[in-house]
Each structure stands twice: as C-alpha cells, then as structure tokens.
Amino acid sequence: MPYLGRINITGPEPEVERRQHFVDALSAAMTEGWTSVFAVALSTADVIGSAADRVPPVRKGLEHHVICYSGGATVTAVLDGDGLDFEEAAAALASLGRHLTTWSPELLQYTLQRVEISQLEQRWDDEHWLPPLDRP
C-alpha cells in the first residue's frame, strides 16, 4: 500500500529576483531526489547477505506536488514499492527532505521543519494519486 508524505522546509524569503531560482532549484531537486542516495533507505528486513550482495528493493515516487510560499515550501509525495513499510517510507521521506535542503546552493539556507506520513488508502481518481492543486 502506498504512503502519503508531506515535507515542509522553511527559510528566508528569497529576494524578488531570486524567487524563480528557488522554485527551479526545488523542482530540480525533487526530480533528482527519487534516485539520490539520500532518498534510498533500506529496512533491516530487506538486507539479506553481505553488503556486496545487497540488492535494494524497487521504490518509486508515484506522484508529487510542490507548493512554494514566502519563506518555504511544502512537498506532498506518494511513495510505494514491494514490501514498503511505514518506517522505511518515513526514513525515505525524511531523507528526501534533507536532500531538498542540501541539493543546491539556492536551497542551503532552508531547513527541514516537518515530515508527516500516513498510509494512502485510495487514489484521488483513476489517473492521479493526489488531488489537483486547483482543488480546495
């Protein structure tokens, strides 16, 4: 069953001419974040044999939304994979949050403030896990 996570990062409000740089840096960090070593987390139950023989289970980000605001951003993401458990999903999302605040010089002034996670019982609709951003 997939997990729904919400990551909040906070920091200074970018100067007007730097706001788009912040948005672009955060978007690029999210794009790379799912394959970054920061976002790969294995539970001890998944590790069998020596470290050299270790094959990580398939994990994937199914969908995400990024909302930027004055002094920070909120990332909502859906994470899934074979045998994914709550602890591993929480660790992966927390690591993704750290990745988002260290990936680019544009993001170094931001800090991870909160990570929330819960099981996602159902899709929003047939094509999307998350509701569209223009929905209340």
Side-chain angles (χ1 to χ4, degrees):
M1 181 159 298
Y3 288 90
L4 174 66
R6 182 167 287 118
I7 300 166
N8 290 354
I9 63 171
T10 59
E13 180 177 352
E15 298 170 8
V16 173
E17 64 275 0
R18 303 293 302 167
R19 287 182 184 160
Q20 190 60 48
H21 294 279
F22 169 69
V23 172
D24 293 343
L26 193 56
S27 177
M30 272 304 299
T31 298
E32 195 228 81
W34 295 117
T35 58
S36 164
V37 294
F38 285 118
V40 176
L42 293 175
S43 69
T44 55
D46 292 325
V47 179
I48 300 171
S50 69
D53 297 334
R54 197 174 1 179
V55 175
V58 174
R59 301 291 183 243
K60 55 191 166 211
L62 300 176
E63 191 172 353
H64 71 272
H65 291 262
V66 179
I67 300 174
C68 298
Y69 52 85
S70 175
T74 299
V75 175
T76 304
V78 179
L79 184 65
D80 198 11
D82 293 335
L84 181 67
D85 61 20
F86 180 85
E87 292 82 6
E88 184 183 355
L93 287 163
S95 294
L96 179 62
R98 177 174 169 105
H99 168 77
L100 295 177
T101 60
T102 59
W103 187 80
S104 161
E106 201 71 43
L107 300 173
L108 290 175
Q109 295 178 332
Y110 292 83
T111 58
L112 180 61
Q113 288 298 309
R114 181 183 305 178
V115 176
E116 298 173 3
I117 187 167
S118 61
Q119 279 191 328
L120 188 58
E121 299 295 327
Q122 63 186 24
R123 294 171 160 273
W124 171 257
D125 61 23
D126 290 338
E127 297 179 21
H128 301 95
W129 286 96
L130 298 172
L133 289 175
D134 61 354
R135 293 294 200 130

